[in-house]
C-alpha cells in the first residue's frame, strides 16, 4: 500500500509466503496470549505466527521503513541453509497454515507457496555457490527446491547450477 492502513485480503497473501520481517512487527502482548507462542521450527516460525495472528486480527501496514534486517550465514537460520533444513521447516509451516484459509483457496495458495519457495531455495543455492563455493549447501538447497516444486523453469535453473558446480565455475 502507498499509505498507512489496515490490510485487506491479507491472510491469503500472507499464506502464500512470508512477507513480514520479525523486526518490522509490533504485536500487543494480549494477542500473543490469545494465539499462543512460537513453535520450535528452525526457520519460518515467525511466518506461522503472523498467519495465526492474521486469521484472528486485522493487520495494519505503514510504507515507512522503520527497521532493517541483516542476514548472515552464521546465524541459526543461515546454518539451516547449508543443510536444507530451512526448506523442511518451511514445508512444515506451509502445512500448518493451510487450515487458516478457506477450503476453496488452499490448493492454489499451497501451490503458489511451494513454487515461490522452490525458486527461493535455488536463489539461496546460487548464493551459497557463487559467494562461498559451498558445494554441500548449494546442492542441499537445489535438492530441496526440486522436492518443493517441479516446474520446467526450475529444472533448467537447477541444471545450470549443477553444471557450474561440476565445472567449478
Amino acid at each position: 500500500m502507498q499509505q498507512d492502513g489496515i490490510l485487506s485480503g491479507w491472510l491469503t497473501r500472507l499464506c502464500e509466503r512470508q512477507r513480514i520481517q520479525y523486526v518490522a512487527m509490533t504485536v500487543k502482548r494480549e494477542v500473543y496470549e490469545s494465539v499462543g507462542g512460537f513453535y520450535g521450527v528452525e526457520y519460518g516460525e515467525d511466518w506461522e505466527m503472523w498467519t495465526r495472528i492474521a486469521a484472528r486480527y486485522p493487520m495494519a501496514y505503514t510504507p515507512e521503513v522503520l527497521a532493517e534486517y541483516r542476514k548472515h550465514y552464521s546465524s541459526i537460520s543461515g546454518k539451516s541453509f547449508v543443510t536444507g533444513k530451512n526448506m523442511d521447516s518451511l514445508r512444515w509451516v506451509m502445512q500448518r497454515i493451510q487450515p487458516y484459509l478457506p477450503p476453496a483457496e488452499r490448493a492454489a495458495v499451497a501451490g503458489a507457496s511451494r513454487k515461490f519457495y522452490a525458486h527461493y531455495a535455488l536463489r539461496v543455492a546460487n548464493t551459497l555457490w557463487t559467494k562461498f563455493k559451498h558445494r554441500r549447501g548449494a546442492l542441499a538447497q537445489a535438492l530441496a527446491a526440486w522436492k518443493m516444486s517441479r516446474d520446467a523453469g526450475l529444472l533448467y535453473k537447477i541444471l545450470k547450477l549443477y553444471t557450474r558446480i561440476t565445472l567449478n565455475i
Side-chain angles (χ1 to χ4, degrees):
M1 295 180 356
Q2 298 298 317
Q3 68 283 343
D4 295 353
I6 302 294
L7 296 164
S8 63
W10 181 240
L11 180 61
T12 300
R13 293 189 66 220
L14 184 57
C15 285
E16 286 177 354
R17 68 178 191 248
Q18 167 58 303
R19 298 171 186 271
I20 304 167
Q21 286 299 333
Y22 70 90
V23 298
M25 184 65 122
T26 304
V27 180
K28 288 183 176 183
R29 180 181 174 156
E30 66 190 48
V31 172
Y32 283 134
E33 290 170 349
S34 173
V35 300
F38 287 90
Y39 292 105
V41 292
E42 283 188 23
Y43 190 81
E45 66 184 0
D46 53 339
W47 180 24
E48 192 278 334
M49 172 62 80
W50 310 147
T51 302
R52 259 190 290 147
I53 292 171
R56 294 182 56 187
Y57 296 93
M59 295 182 87
Y61 170 81
T62 182
E64 185 179 357
V65 176
L66 301 172
E68 187 172 338
Y69 180 76
R70 185 173 66 93
K71 189 191 245 183
H72 57 92
Y73 289 101
S74 62
S75 68
I76 293 170
S77 296
K79 289 176 184 175
S80 75
F81 290 161
V82 299
T83 61
K85 284 186 121 185
N86 64 319
M87 299 307 290
D88 293 337
S89 292
L90 287 175
R91 270 193 293 282
W92 181 88
V93 170
M94 286 178 218
Q95 291 173 341
R96 177 92 180 154
I97 64 179
Q98 283 294 299
Y100 296 111
L101 289 166
E105 294 180 18
R106 291 177 186 168
V109 170
S113 187
R114 282 191 308 273
K115 185 174 181 176
F116 174 82
Y117 280 108
H119 286 272
Y120 169 78
L122 201 53
R123 287 191 303 274
V124 170
N126 277 299
T127 298
L128 288 169
W129 178 248
T130 58
K131 286 189 177 180
F132 307 106
K133 295 297 186 217
H134 199 297
R135 178 184 307 267
R136 191 182 63 137
L139 293 174
Q141 286 295 309
L143 178 60
W146 188 242
K147 286 180 181 177
M148 188 73 70
S149 178
R150 297 195 174 193
D151 66 77
L154 184 68
L155 177 59
Y156 174 74
K157 292 175 184 178
I158 289 171
L159 291 174
K160 270 179 61 176
L161 175 63
Y162 272 104
T163 301
R164 287 191 359 254
I165 290 172
T166 302
L167 299 174
N168 200 26
I169 54 175

